[in-house]
Amino acid sequence: MKKPVGQHNNRWLLLAAGGTLLLQLWLCYFFSGGQFVPLTNDVTPGSYRAMRFQFPPQGFMSYDYWLGFPNLPVPLTPTSLLAHLPVWWFFTLFYPLCGALAVGTAYWLLRELKLARPAAVIGGLIYGWQGPLLSNIYSGHFGPMALLVLMPLAVGAALRAIRSRNWWAAIVCGAILGMNICLQPDHGMLVALLVGALFLAGIGRALRRERRESLMLGGRLLAVIGMSALVALPTLQTMLETQITGVKQVASDNPQEHWNWATQWSLPFAETLDYLVPGFFGWRSGDPDGPYWGRIGRQAGWAQDHQGFRNFSISANSFGTVALVFALAGAWMLWRRNRPAQKDATTEELLDTDSRFYGRFFTVALVICYLLALGRYAPFYWLFYKLPYMGTWRNPLKFMVPGGFCLTVLAAYGVQMWLDGSPNQRWRWLLTGVSAAAGLVLLAALGADSWLPQTLAPQGYSRAEIAAALGVVRLAAGVTVAVVGLLWFVAAKPSARIPVLAGLVVAQMFWVHTHYLEPFNFRAAYRSNPLIETLRADPEPARVKLLAQDGLLHYYLSAVFPYYRIASLDIPASSRMPDNYLAFFSALESNPIRLWQLAGVKYLALPAAGLSQLQRVTELQTNITGVALFQAQGTKLDDLTVIAVTDTWQATHAVVTLKNYLSKATFVPGIEVFDNQSELSRRLASADWDPRRTLLLDHPTAPSGTGNAVGTVHLQRYSGNRIEAAVEAPTPGYLLINDRYDANWHAAVNGHPVAPVRADLILYAVPVPAGHSEVVVRYQSPATAIYIHLVALGFASVIVGVAGLQAVADKRRSA
């Protein structure tokens, strides 16, 4: 007996999602059994633990970098739950799981748009294999990937709320949007803008029919906004406290430099070609097998002075040749006028008015997102940049997050029009045009010897890099021509359309993603060695300062030091510096040794070549108590072997131990009070100021003892949210903690609450009386926002459950 068509289509969906999961698990080395994980940067095996959701919610001060950075309670998100997985499970499973789920959620949305199941399956595959998905593993951006799963659900719930007058759908839509903001605030806000525009389009459409209906839609939009704000409340609070209030943006005092900073990652118009020919501009910066040679990430003025970034791109943008071809087809046919049905009617006539309206909406949204993604290369971007707070956005390329979603939807419309009948003459025109464009690209690639070296050599590319770029340009063009040729085959063989289209989508993007994933033996890379043990040897916590960040030390700073909880005075990268850090480091930029002393720097790590120069610094000659030498052997991060050596000529790196540094907790008897910060800053670098005798305060506080008294401190416990110490003080004084001051620090001395005070511009201290004192300092940030977030999610879950039960009951009654 022949199976119903619906069952066949469900089988295609299961094959698409299941096949996506298995192939992407293979790409991410899941089947290595924990031997390898993909190489990542921002989120590494050493730092992902900070992403975990905890209940009851609590914040903490992260000591990995600088003098500590506040972390408010983590909201409940898919990422914060999956972060509880073992290391290799998390890094090999997260992205494939998101990719497979994205196939399903995109399929559901496309069905909500009334597209046929085969078109929805192909659209889901395009969405689940899009360029920014697996290629983002290298950068280590995990939040946006879970957001990609939720984005179709948010848009689909919005469509339900607009078309069926469902208040429950509006509440669910708001909850999902709030979750998106929690996962990645900037990307989530862009998705929220897309959904808001969808509601406004629905309201405008309703105004032409019934005013009351438009008012009800406005009410549902307010419900979406209110619910999303409740769910996103903890993330909005975190952004306000750590990214906006008291934060200095790079070059913010110079309008032109701030514009350059805000638009550095813009999409050059010529690189739109990468959407048709993935890989034409290379793969990623620094890749010896295919260096990225475009202009994304280029520092303004680089062509004149060659200062800063020549370019910087480490992820793919393209959705594949098939996606672009069908998106163009979908946009073209959606905007043609409906014609009377004919014998050979295509989907152009079969689409109903509702589907056509929303298809046109996504076409307009894609064009707007694309134009904004051009950033500095578009003469009108400054209009958006001048809007309130929009100057704080960086990377106009982010507009292609909702833009790529719209491209997927349009591609599904194009696929449906293709599958509803034999391609007509207009399809042949489109394929002919695309074939001509691909052919021209192939001719340009075959003749790249005549133009690419002349373009790249003046920019400082080596001969090996130019040779690799030539190879990638030709291969990318050849693959694109092959894909277009197979589309002609699909046009001639209707019976092969679904499997061949699916195979083309997956095969090309599988090939693309292989260039962004590197196997990384994290167990070998994170094993301890003599250098690590030297930095961990002190029984009390101390900081390390990197005097030069070569390849090994930079990697240790960003990944290995956090893994072993080794605090550093450095940070790998920061586009926004807190004002108090800026003031502190600026006040001591001419006196780095005082900076190291106040910050509790006990160790200096540097390449061995710089050791002799360091030892000639007069101020350090009596401050160095030991030098440990190490030799790093190996070519990759996960095959490096670090051993201790005794001869300087054998050493590649050195760790210098300093004598004059402040312990983590120090008793200070006296104070000096200043009327303004500038006077305090000058005193901070003064040679006759002893930080062990007096604290520098910007306001009067409790009486203190004399500057000659000497007390003792025994640090009993030290963590990100709790510090315990026993103090023996001959006079009243202060327990100075050389970490960053924050209003969320709360102290108790002998069981009595005491308010910590800001000291030495950025550190903090706890007043203690004479005699023995037991001091407990807790980091306790307000958890109200998290509880509101959890209640809102719980309410939305109940709404979904009730709606699901109602749908089941309605189905049974209709049966």
Side-chain angles (χ1 to χ4, degrees):
M1 182 177 178
K2 188 177 180 179
K3 293 184 179 180
V5 174
Q7 291 186 30
H8 282 287
N9 289 320
N10 289 335
R11 181 187 66 189
W12 279 114
L13 173 61
L14 292 175
L15 285 173
T20 293
L21 179 62
L22 291 175
L23 287 173
Q24 292 187 2
L25 284 173
W26 187 84
L27 279 171
C28 292
Y29 313 108
F30 178 83
F31 299 111
S32 72
Q35 179 69 22
F36 297 104
V37 301
L39 181 63
T40 64
N41 282 286
D42 283 4
V43 176
T44 67
S47 61
Y48 89 106
R49 291 171 292 191
M51 302 162 57
R52 293 171 178 169
F53 172 76
Q54 294 181 336
F55 193 87
Q58 60 180 8
F60 64 96
M61 183 69 70
S62 172
Y63 296 125
D64 295 337
Y65 310 118
W66 283 341
L67 300 175
F69 200 78
N71 290 259
L72 299 187
V74 176
L76 179 66
T77 67
T79 304
S80 66
L81 289 177
L82 288 173
H84 288 275
L85 290 172
V87 173
W88 78 270
W89 276 78
F90 179 80
F91 285 95
T92 60
L93 176 64
F94 187 93
Y95 277 78
L97 184 62
C98 289
L101 292 175
V103 172
T105 57
Y107 172 87
W108 175 79
L109 167 70
L110 296 172
R111 293 291 292 145
E112 191 70 21
L113 286 167
K114 303 179 183 178
L115 298 184
R117 285 188 174 90
V121 169
I122 301 299
L125 271 177
I126 291 171
Y127 190 67
W129 280 92
Q130 59 179 289
L133 185 73
L134 295 182
S135 68
N136 259 328
I137 292 179
Y138 184 78
S139 60
H141 297 164
F142 284 77
M145 298 309 103
L147 180 147
L148 288 177
V149 178
L150 296 178
M151 195 189 316
L153 298 179
V155 175
L159 286 171
R160 285 273 181 102
I162 294 169
R163 295 191 305 194
S164 59
R165 303 180 182 180
N166 271 325
W167 284 91
W168 70 264
I171 292 171
V172 171
C173 175
I176 298 173
L177 288 179
M179 182 67 70
N180 285 341
I181 295 172
C182 289
L183 286 165
Q184 189 74 17
D186 47 5
H187 292 186
M189 291 298 292
L190 290 175
V191 176
L193 288 174
L194 177 66
V195 170
L198 185 62
F199 265 96
L200 292 177
I203 291 171
R205 189 183 184 204
L207 278 172
R208 299 198 300 266
R209 295 181 297 186
E210 184 182 350
R211 184 176 179 182
R212 183 174 180 276
E213 182 182 348
S214 66
L215 291 175
M216 295 295 288
L217 270 178
R220 289 194 284 277
L221 175 58
L222 291 177
V224 170
I225 295 171
M227 191 65 180
S228 62
L230 292 176
V231 173
L233 191 59
T235 298
L236 297 175
Q237 178 189 4
T238 301
M239 288 179 58
L240 180 65
E241 294 190 13
T242 63
Q243 300 293 322
I244 298 176
T245 303
V247 172
K248 180 69 121 182
Q249 292 174 16
V250 171
S252 60
D253 293 333
N254 185 310
Q256 182 60 46
E257 290 182 3
H258 187 273
W259 162 266
N260 295 337
W261 169 83
T263 60
Q264 184 170 347
W265 273 267
S266 300
L267 176 65
F269 178 76
E271 294 186 40
T272 308
L273 180 63
D274 202 55
Y275 283 85
L276 175 66
V277 190
F280 185 83
F281 290 91
W283 301 119
R284 68 169 193 260
S285 298
D287 182 1
D289 298 324
Y292 170 70
W293 55 272
R295 290 186 292 164
I296 292 174
R298 176 168 295 181
Q299 207 101 7
W302 185 87
Q304 289 74 37
D305 54 26
H306 285 204
Q307 297 296 314
F309 284 123
R310 176 175 63 190
N311 57 27
F312 192 77
S313 180
I314 54 177
S315 62
N317 296 312
S318 178
F319 281 52
T321 306
V322 173
L324 183 66
V325 169
F326 282 100
L328 291 174
W332 180 17
M333 294 189 178
L334 278 166
W335 285 89
R336 291 182 63 86
R337 292 184 178 180
N338 275 322
R339 296 179 179 180
Q342 300 173 1
K343 184 176 181 180
D344 59 346
T346 66
T347 308
E348 179 183 2
E349 288 78 36
L350 298 176
L351 282 175
D352 63 20
T353 303
D354 198 52
S355 294
R356 182 176 293 275
F357 172 80
Y358 289 110
R360 289 179 173 179
F361 167 83
F362 288 113
T363 306
V364 173
L366 172 58
V367 171
I368 293 173
C369 290
Y370 168 74
L371 293 175
L372 289 173
L374 295 175
R376 65 167 59 157
Y377 302 107
F380 46 79
Y381 185 76
W382 67 271
L383 293 171
F384 172 84
Y385 173 80
K386 290 294 184 182
L387 293 174
Y389 296 107
M390 293 303 101
T392 64
W393 287 56
R394 198 178 188 189
N395 308 358
L397 264 174
K398 292 175 181 175
F399 284 100
M400 287 310 295
V401 173
F405 171 80
C406 296
L407 185 146
T408 300
V409 173
L410 289 179
Y413 272 92
V415 171
Q416 172 148 333
M417 295 171 188
W418 179 285
L419 295 177
D420 274 338
S422 297
N424 57 22
Q425 188 63 36
R426 287 190 299 258
W427 275 103
R428 296 188 181 92
W429 291 346
L430 176 64
L431 277 180
T432 300
V434 171
S435 301
L440 290 174
V441 172
L442 181 60
L443 289 175
L446 293 175
D449 283 324
S450 63
W451 58 271
L452 191 57
Q454 289 83 342
T455 301
L456 301 186
Q459 299 180 33
Y461 286 87
S462 66
R463 290 184 178 180
E465 289 177 314
I466 293 174
L470 284 168
V472 171
V473 164
R474 290 165 178 159
L475 181 59
V479 169
T480 299
V481 168
V483 170
V484 174
L486 286 170
L487 286 177
W488 280 104
F489 169 78
V490 175
K493 298 287 185 180
S495 61
R497 286 179 188 169
I498 295 178
V500 174
L501 280 182
L504 284 177
V505 169
V506 173
Q508 188 179 32
M509 294 313 299
F510 183 95
W511 169 71
V512 168
H513 288 306
T514 58
H515 297 91
Y516 292 89
L517 297 172
E518 292 184 26
F520 183 66
N521 189 335
F522 78 96
R523 291 176 177 169
Y526 285 84
R527 60 175 172 244
S528 187
N529 59 56
L531 192 154
I532 295 296
E533 292 307 314
T534 297
L535 297 177
R536 299 175 64 202
D538 199 275
E540 289 192 358
R543 288 190 172 90
V544 58
K545 166 66 182 173
L546 306 188
L547 294 187
Q549 292 189 23
D550 67 347
L552 173 71
L553 292 180
H554 179 77
Y555 168 68
Y556 271 31
L557 171 66
S558 60
V560 178
F561 287 171
Y563 187 82
Y564 285 101
R565 295 295 184 260
I566 296 172
S568 173
L569 191 59
D570 303 275
I571 191 170
S574 176
S575 59
R576 296 173 176 87
M577 178 176 280
D579 289 344
N580 53 5
Y581 278 116
L582 187 63
F584 185 71
F585 288 114
S586 298
L588 294 170
E589 62 182 353
S590 62
N591 192 351
I593 296 176
R594 170 59 57 81
L595 170 64
W596 302 342
Q597 179 191 25
L598 292 177
V601 172
K602 183 177 180 180
Y603 304 103
L604 303 177
L606 69 160
L611 187 59
S612 59
Q613 182 180 357
L614 178 69
Q615 291 173 325
R616 289 195 295 268
V617 177
T618 305
E619 294 84 352
L620 281 176
Q621 288 176 355
T622 59
N623 193 20
I624 295 177
T625 63
V627 177
L629 301 175
F630 307 94
Q631 183 184 85
Q633 303 171 335
T635 57
K636 293 185 178 180
L637 298 174
D638 52 354
D639 70 359
L640 280 173
T641 300
V642 180
I643 61 174
V645 296
T646 56
D647 295 325
T648 306
W649 65 270
Q650 294 179 305
T652 59
H653 295 81
V655 171
V656 176
T657 304
L658 301 180
K659 175 175 62 178
N660 186 20
Y661 69 96
L662 284 179
S663 299
K664 180 57 61 181
T666 306
F667 174 74
V668 181
I671 63 171
E672 298 179 39
V673 181
F674 298 86
D675 294 331
N676 56 68
Q677 182 174 299
S678 61
E679 292 181 4
L680 192 155
S681 298
R682 284 194 292 271
R683 180 61 172 161
L684 201 66
S686 176
D688 61 351
W689 171 60
D690 185 350
R692 292 184 176 85
R693 293 182 179 274
T694 59
L695 296 179
L696 307 185
L697 307 178
D698 57 5
H699 61 278
T701 183
S704 61
T706 64
N708 295 320
V710 177
T712 59
V713 177
H714 175 55
L715 189 63
Q716 300 167 325
R717 178 178 176 180
Y718 180 76
S719 68
N721 49 29
R722 189 177 180 90
I723 300 172
E724 298 177 6
V727 182
E728 295 291 342
T731 66
Y734 296 83
L735 177 66
L736 173 65
I737 309 292
N738 60 9
D739 292 330
R740 182 189 184 188
Y741 171 84
D742 189 278
N744 290 320
W745 283 117
H746 304 273
V749 178
N750 297 325
H752 301 290
V754 176
V757 297
R758 187 194 304 269
D760 300 346
L761 195 60
I762 193 175
L763 311 179
Y764 70 96
V766 179
V768 294
H772 178 81
S773 298
E774 294 290 337
V775 180
V776 177
V777 187
R778 294 173 296 107
Y779 191 85
Q780 186 174 2
S781 53
T784 304
I786 285 287
Y787 286 114
I788 293 174
H789 161 87
L790 294 175
V791 170
L793 285 178
F795 177 68
S797 299
V798 170
I799 292 293
V800 170
V802 171
L805 292 174
Q806 183 65 45
V808 171
D810 292 343
K811 187 175 182 179
R812 287 178 177 175
R813 281 195 296 268
S814 62

